[in-house]
Amino acid sequence: MSPREKYLALFDLSTVRALEFGPADKPWIPRKTPGVRNIDHLSTEDLRKEMESSPFYKAADLCEIHFVNDGRALKEILGDWTNLDLIAASHVIEHLPDVLGWLQDLSAVLAAGGRIMLAVPNKHHTFDFFRQVTTLEDVIVNHLERRTKPSPRAILEHRALATSSENRMSWNGDPNPLTFRHIHNFEEAYRLASEHLDENSGYFDVHVSVFTPYSFVKLLIGLTENGFLPLELERIDPNGFEFLAVLKRCDPNERIADRIAALDSMAAKLPFQVEDYCAAEYVCLEPRFEHFGGMSETDLNKVQELEEQLAQLKGSASWRITKPLRGLRRLFH
């Protein structure tokens, strides 16, 4: 049984009243579930047109969309389809311009004790590898600004720092930093960010937020401490290129100390990397070597030596990756 299936097993699917965000052609909640409805930014017909030539989705297999998310409050969009037992959202939260507003919106349509299942990409295993994690301050500012689309900064970071490892956009396990390549270039990122300075410009979809299991729990601690979060974290599965979490509706002003203690206990079991919270020393070899016109034999030997050191190092994933990178960076300074 996969981790996603284990989370589904927490619910009686024969009686559950549920909503799934953006299921595309691979819903988390099985299609045959009688009490599930789907919501997306476009209607079923419009989604099929949009994805007709997509290499990632089968347009004909897209799930039926019952509600179009048009920017109104979720309670208004859903009408009488509220008082929900379950909301599922796979790889949605990282795209949202206002994460806090969205979580509060979800809680407003949950029944007492209703739950949210989230699948979230772990930045350590995706193209967001070199980005800093999203902090409490980031989330609060986006909420205060009532963001309805990604900021120019989010667009710039998403495009300028997007990275592949061995031509993969996501991966399990620890990547070899010597295989990192920029997916885009800075000039393109700058152009896109500039084009979206105007509030009247169109919507450009990016990963607005970046998470690790640890940073996600720490974010929930900050939101809980300040009375912003009407949800409590019941469980988190940190393994793989995505992590899974279950949040349960609660009163944001009740049991704060107990909820924070539970979150602290969860955070203590998750890997912490200081580099996630500060400017990263990142090296993608392809553009660096082009700039320097190739490497000398001495440099190639040094890279080989660093590769061998990398394979032998023990300890945290952060140290295995950042120590060779720091050594490699000094070659060119």
Side-chain angles (χ1 to χ4, degrees), residues 32-95:
K32 63 183 179 181
T33 305
V36 65
R37 302 291 183 271
N38 301 313
I39 184 169
D40 213 318
H41 71 294
L42 293 174
S43 67
T44 310
E45 182 181 354
D46 289 340
L47 274 178
R48 286 179 176 157
K49 289 178 182 176
E50 184 180 77
M51 298 183 181
E52 202 167 23
S53 58
S54 170
F56 305 108
Y57 304 99
K58 293 182 179 179
D61 293 342
L62 292 176
C63 294
E64 179 184 356
I65 302 303
H66 304 87
F67 304 103
V68 175
N69 195 352
D70 56 11
R72 291 177 294 158
L74 193 55
K75 207 166 193 176
E76 186 178 347
I77 294 172
L78 298 183
D80 61 0
W81 191 258
T82 56
N83 204 33
L84 302 173
D85 305 305
L86 171 63
I87 297 174
S90 173
H91 292 236
V92 171
I93 191 171
E94 68 275 11
H95 293 269

Side-chain angles (χ1 to χ4, degrees), residues 21 86 97 122 165 185 222 237 271 309:
F21 277 78
L86 171 63
N122 183 342
S165 177
N185 59 58
D237 183 340
Q309 291 177 10

Side-chain angles (χ1 to χ4, degrees), residues 165-201:
S165 177
E166 297 176 338
N167 295 319
R168 292 174 297 171
M169 302 282 279
S170 63
W171 53 84
N172 288 311
D174 299 326
N176 179 353
L178 297 175
T179 70
F180 287 151
R181 298 290 183 271
H182 286 302
I183 298 173
H184 311 288
N185 59 58
F186 188 84
E187 290 78 11
E188 178 200 5
Y190 178 80
R191 177 183 58 79
L192 286 169
S194 300
E195 290 173 356
H196 289 81
L197 282 170
D198 186 346
E199 283 298 317
N200 295 319
S201 60

Side-chain angles (χ1 to χ4, degrees), residues 311-327:
Q312 295 171 2
L313 285 172
K314 303 297 181 181
S316 72
S318 172
W319 187 246
R320 288 201 304 275
I321 290 173
T322 61
K323 185 175 181 180
L325 284 177
R326 288 193 292 270

